[in-house]
Amino acid sequence: MQSFVVQKAVTAQGVVADARITVDGDRVVDISDGASDAMPLWAVPGFVDTHCHGAVQVSFGAPDLDANRRARAFHLSKGTTTLFASTVTLSVDDLVAQEEVLRQLTEEGVIDGIHLEGPFLAPEKKGAHAEHLLLDPDPASVQRLIDAGGPALRMITMAPEREGAMQAIQQFVEAGVAVAFGHSNADADVCNASIAAGTTVATHLFNAMNGIHHREPGPVPALLHDERVLVELICDGVHLHPDVIRMAYDAAGAHRIGLVTDAMSATGADDGRYLLGNLDVEVRDGVARLTTDDGSEGAIAGSTLTMADAFQFCVGTVGLAIPEVAAMAATTPARFHGLDDVGELAVGKRADVCLVDDDGILHQVWHRGERVL
């Protein structure tokens, strides 16, 4: 049994001052106030990233299991104590092969689930997805993906305007897979219809979807205002302006926003050339973009963001309060995805804890009761 004392702890019951957090094994067994000799830090729940493609020159789903473990360990060192490994658009055969790798890692407890981003996406909003591999969902292909992922498959991003998409949404939902609206050219009506059919997540809101127009609102207002939807935000200062993040926060609230990294294999590595799926990406100054034949600026291709940096950005640049950012980084995504054992500092929950200072800078990471940073 071990314990540590912090000036403030963001718990399921609220902020506790001079909090002593006691851990036995991998569980929190007590949280009490009024302790002395507190570290000048905040304790917040370990971060929950449900959209992450890789790190340290490794893409999740690569056949090398140890390489996947290295990428996971990097994100753990940055506070991500719960992680869904994300794929990009490939052929159904190749995705099934990646699911088999990621399912094994889920069963080992290395990762916490699989997120398929594609292949049922819109060519108009393909972003960093290979257009020739995008396709309409058919029941047989959908079932292959469900069967290959099994209980490890937690989420899929789809464009609901594709032929057969509404049926596919229902097929995934019936199998226990969350469906996310994303990489879509849909208007507000189709977006609302997809929510009615079972969509419960907005993949990186604002990015790879139609923007807001005062007479043609598009999907963004619907996704922001519908209480059934978890709104993903990539808070790296590249994908979204701080004013847009504040607007989303004012509209949806911390109880419906989930911070994600969308991190690719260049995360934690040097600038240079990389592959995302089968597309060439160049990273300059930490910003990943598709390469182009004419040398012009290509589409943003994921990010090199960590959850630690996203947390700090929301506190220091956007100006949000630490308890609200803690909800966005952990509690809210855990609740929406049914991850009952994580996402909160509470007695009986898994001892996943991040310690940050008043500026949101990460200082310590505890995972399953063991300090990893």
Side-chain angles (χ1 to χ4, degrees), residues 130-258:
E131 184 170 352
H132 71 283
L133 294 174
L134 302 177
L135 68 158
D136 293 325
D138 63 90
S141 295
V142 168
Q143 195 60 48
R144 283 191 68 197
L145 295 174
I146 291 171
D147 291 343
L153 180 58
R154 303 302 299 254
M155 180 168 65
I156 183 166
T157 298
M158 294 177 52
E161 70 271 25
R162 295 212 67 131
E163 184 176 349
M166 294 299 174
Q167 179 183 349
I169 291 171
Q170 295 174 354
Q171 192 174 351
F172 278 116
V173 170
E174 288 172 0
V177 180
V179 175
F181 176 102
H183 288 276
S184 169
N185 199 39
D187 60 14
D189 290 340
V190 174
C191 177
N192 280 315
S194 74
I195 296 171
T199 293
T200 54
V201 181
T203 290
H204 44 52
L205 189 75
F206 299 105
N207 301 120
M209 62 183 67
N210 290 317
I212 301 172
H213 185 276
H214 54 282
R215 286 188 295 274
E216 297 178 9
V220 172
L223 296 167
L224 278 174
H225 292 145
D226 198 303
E227 289 290 322
R228 294 171 287 184
V229 177
L230 170 69
V231 175
E232 291 183 358
L233 296 181
I234 306 173
C235 297
D236 60 353
V238 176
H239 284 77
L240 300 172
H241 190 280
D243 287 346
V244 174
I245 297 171
R246 292 187 196 99
M247 181 186 72
Y249 170 81
D250 289 342
H255 71 290
R256 286 207 302 109
I257 293 174

Side-chain angles (χ1 to χ4, degrees), residues 346-370:
V347 172
K349 298 278 189 177
R350 204 166 78 188
D352 292 349
V353 188
C354 290
L355 303 188
V356 301
D357 62 24
D358 289 341
D359 297 318
I361 298 171
L362 182 67
H363 287 261
Q364 291 186 24
V365 180
W366 295 73
H367 182 229
R368 300 180 184 270
E370 298 289 335

Side-chain angles (χ1 to χ4, degrees), residues 117-131:
E117 191 173 17
F120 311 127
L121 308 177
E124 299 91 344
K125 303 293 182 181
K126 63 183 182 297
H129 293 261
E131 184 170 352

